[in-house]
Structures are given as structure tokens and as C-alpha cells.
Amino acid sequence: RGPQAPAADLAGRHVVISAGGTREPLDPVRFLGNRSSGKQGYALARTAVARGARVTLVAANSELPDPAGADVVRVGTALQLREAVLKAAADADVVVMAAAVADFRPARYAEGKIKKRDGEGPEPVELVRNPDVLAELSAARARPGQVVVGFAAETDDVLANGRAKLARKGCDLLVVNEVGERKTFGAEQSEAVVLAPDGSETPVAFGPKEVLSDTVWDLVADRLR
Ligand code: CTP
Ligand code: CA
């Protein structure tokens, strides 16, 4: 398969991809967020379009240009992302969770801007857990045979952490990135290993996010057959 003529092996398939990073508001001007650029999710969307898929991209706070040929649904928070992904997943063949979803959100949203006051210490911010969208999608497949893919950025024992996470989430594939300086956040290139519940490990050499994306689609296409 050459770059000029990608296989249309996802033709007739609906794939849902989440990308970017959620933001959890504290007040009208502040939020808790993360450094996800959305580049990996957008690369997945472009490569899936090139392979013939109908693509729904659920984009959380990304400033990247809309991928041509994809339906883009914009969201802000983890709860909004969950709603949009579950809705799109209802008739999807594949769901890929490339977004960095905040694990916690502020327990309360202040309608007015939070002010500091002389002589008073800052109020602690109470957090509550967000739902785990990937675990939810994996546990209750909207369609039989739907393929669910997760992403994980790990440090320390990357493979052991990835294996444990794959089992905990119950997804079909987990793309594990090792994070460190120059790696992953906002970078143009990435290096990863794709884990599957059968014990297989597919390494992907340091390179463009499109190459990692095409490896993911190869593994997904195998599972759709
Ligand atoms: N994810 C999700 N919903 C959440 C958190 C994460 O769907 N509330 C998805 C991410 O999109 C990603 C995968 O789960 O595909 C792994 O995210 P990660 O943050 O590594 O997993 P966690 O279970 O939150 O583990 P950790 O405590 O290491 O952050
Ligand atoms: Ca997390």
C-alpha cells in the first residue's frame, strides 16, 4: 500500500475518534486542563478518511484545522465529551479514545469569578471523579463486534502499566506511549507499542503520528473482518 493509494479497507465503516484535552471549569474565566494538542486524534481522523471511513471527530479544545471529510463535534468538558462520544458510538464500527479526558472536575462551578480577599487564605478546590468513557464503551458495546481502542501515556514500567490498564479498561487495543522530555505532548512524532488482550505487542518506531495511526487502522481492520 503506497501513500498515493491507501487501501479503502475502512469503506462503509463509521469510526468515532475523540481528540484533544478536556477543560473543567472552575468559574467563568478559569479551568483545569491538560497539554494534549489533539495532533494524534486529528492524524487518526485524516488517515481514516483516506482509508474510506465515515469519520466523526469529537474534538475537545483543539485549535487544529478540521480534517477534510470528517464530521467534527466540538466539546469542552469530560461530561460533554462523554455525551458526544456515546451518541456517535451508537452506530459506530470503531471508537478510538485519543482524547486526554480529565480524571477529576471541580465539585462546584462558581457562577461569578472567584476573588481573593486580603487576610484570608485560598479556598481549597474540591474535586470529584469524571466518568471513565473508555471503560464504559468497552463494557457496554453499542454494537456486537464494535472495536474499542484506548490510548495511554505512561512512565516507569511502561509495558506493565499498559497491560494492567488494558485489562482494567476492557478495550480491544491499547496504544501505549512512553512520556518524557521531547516525547508525546505537542510533539509532531511519537513512539508507541499497541497492546491487545491476546498478549500481542505491536511496536511502532518513533515517527510521524500518521504512521502510528495507520498501524492502529491496520490492527482495527484485522479485527473488523
Ligand atoms: N479515558 C476515558 N475517560 C476518562 C479517563 C480516561 O475515556 N475519564 C480514556 C482516555 O481517552 C484513554 C484511556 O482512557 O484512551 C486511558 O487514559 P488514562 O488517563 O491513561 O487512564 P486512567 O484510567 O485515567 O489512568 P491514570 O490513573 O493513569 O490516569
Ligand atoms: Ca487519566
Side-chain angles (χ1 to χ4, degrees):
R1 192 163 45 76
Q4 279 79 30
D9 56 356
L10 296 177
R13 304 293 190 174
H14 180 204
V15 316
V16 176
I17 300 158
S18 70
T22 67
R23 291 179 178 177
E24 311 298 320
L26 282 152
D27 71 11
V29 297
R30 304 182 179 98
F31 58 83
L32 300 179
N34 62 69
R35 295 186 185 280
S36 177
S37 65
K39 283 176 187 165
Q40 183 61 63
Y42 277 63
L44 283 159
R46 288 192 302 273
T47 48
V49 169
R51 292 168 76 139
R54 174 162 80 87
V55 176
T56 303
L57 178 64
V58 177
N61 307 298
S62 182
E63 285 168 11
L64 298 171
D66 287 359
D71 289 329
V72 181
V73 181
R74 294 188 180 282
V75 297
T77 67
L79 292 177
Q80 290 167 356
L81 181 141
R82 174 181 175 274
E83 202 173 295
V85 168
L86 293 185
K87 184 169 173 233
D91 73 346
D93 300 284
V94 186
V95 185
V96 182
M97 286 294 298
V101 183
D103 294 327
F104 305 99
R105 66 180 183 278
R108 281 169 299 277
Y109 173 74
E111 298 287 343
K113 187 185 168 197
I114 299 166
K115 303 292 271 183
K116 60 186 170 335
R117 286 181 228 292
D118 284 344
E120 280 176 43
E123 280 290 310
V125 176
E126 191 188 327
L127 302 177
V128 294
R129 279 284 285 270
N130 273 327
D132 187 327
V133 185
L134 178 61
E136 193 173 343
L137 285 164
S138 302
R141 312 274 167 144
R143 278 183 158 187
Q146 185 178 67
V147 179
V148 179
V149 183
F151 272 73
E154 300 289 343
T155 61
D156 306 307
D157 195 341
V158 174
L159 280 181
N161 290 342
R163 279 267 157 237
K165 191 165 282 182
L166 176 69
R168 203 163 62 237
K169 300 282 188 179
C171 52
D172 301 298
L173 295 168
L174 186 72
V175 183
V176 184
N177 287 293
E178 182 171 2
V179 288
E181 5 81 73
R182 110 183 162 131
K183 288 184 177 163
T184 305
F185 282 114
E188 295 299 336
Q189 309 214 70
S190 60
E191 178 182 19
V193 52
V194 188
L195 305 180
D198 63 5
S200 70
E201 290 176 9
T202 308
V204 186
F206 191 77
K209 294 193 176 193
E210 277 74 12
V211 173
L212 174 55
S213 299
D214 271 318
T215 304
V216 170
W217 297 131
D218 290 345
L219 294 167
V220 165
D222 285 345
R223 282 158 179 78
L224 285 172
R225 273 194 279 274

